[in-house]
Amino acid sequence: MSRHSKQNPYTAPASIEEQSFYGIIAAGARDGELRIKKRVRRFAATILSLLVSIALCCCGTFLWWDIQGKAKRARMEAENSCVQQFGSMTESYNEAFRLYGQVASKFSELDESYDLDALAALQDKKPEGYKLLHCSTDVDGDVREAKALKRSFDRLSVEYRKALAPVRK
């Protein structure tokens, strides 16, 4: 029976030929309805899978961009840290070199108000020049090298300050 059987009452076919004809038509109508339902379901499944695929592609793309952005930010922060460490090392070098100049000046003046033996020992300990560090090539290595050089310059500065302390008589 069809869906709308209450609206259109079904009349029984009179002959066997009519019965088989109406049966074939009813079967064809049912097949048509099933095909339409199947097509609609297939179309809905296709649309749904297409939407899911697009959403997954978009999420994957945004995730990739986020990872790339984080990597770039981390790299920039590491380079900024390297540049700051290089600046700190340069300040230590300048301070050590300034103090070395004072040591050399006091030693050449032979000012007896200072420990001339200590000043003489420091004459050979001139701060070594340093190579320019390129923070974009080897960030970690350059940071380590800058920290090591800064420590050596700071140690020299401490030694120079001790030697530049006036001797009390």
Side-chain angles (χ1 to χ4, degrees), residues 9-25:
Y10 177 71
T11 55
S15 68
I16 293 180
E17 290 178 0
E18 285 183 19
Q19 286 178 358
S20 68
F21 176 73
Y22 287 118
I24 291 172
I25 290 191

Side-chain angles (χ1 to χ4, degrees), residues 81-150:
S81 171
C82 180
V83 168
Q84 289 173 351
Q85 190 63 42
F86 182 73
S88 177
M89 179 203 58
T90 303
E91 289 172 11
S92 291
Y93 174 77
N94 291 337
E95 177 69 15
F97 202 76
R98 182 183 65 77
L99 289 172
Y100 175 75
Q102 289 178 1
V103 166
S105 171
K106 299 298 179 189
F107 182 73
S108 65
E109 293 173 3
L110 298 176
D111 188 353
E112 291 188 14
S113 61
Y114 296 98
D115 184 7
L116 293 177
D117 293 331
L119 293 176
L122 291 175
Q123 285 295 311
D124 295 335
K125 289 189 174 183
K126 183 177 182 180
E128 297 176 15
Y130 58 90
K131 66 177 185 167
L132 290 177
L133 303 175
H134 302 286
C135 290
S136 60
T137 54
D138 181 21
V139 176
D140 294 332
D142 289 344
V143 167
R144 281 191 301 274
E145 188 174 344
K147 285 181 179 180
L149 286 171
K150 181 183 182 321

Side-chain angles (χ1 to χ4, degrees), residues 13-57:
S15 68
I16 293 180
E17 290 178 0
E18 285 183 19
Q19 286 178 358
S20 68
F21 176 73
Y22 287 118
I24 291 172
I25 290 191
R30 279 192 305 271
D31 286 345
E33 287 176 2
L34 288 175
R35 279 190 198 140
I36 289 174
K37 286 180 183 178
K38 199 179 214 182
R39 282 184 183 170
V40 168
R41 285 183 189 148
R42 195 177 293 151
F43 181 72
T46 303
I47 294 296
L48 186 62
S49 65
L50 182 65
L51 290 175
V52 168
S53 298
I54 290 172
L56 287 175
C57 287

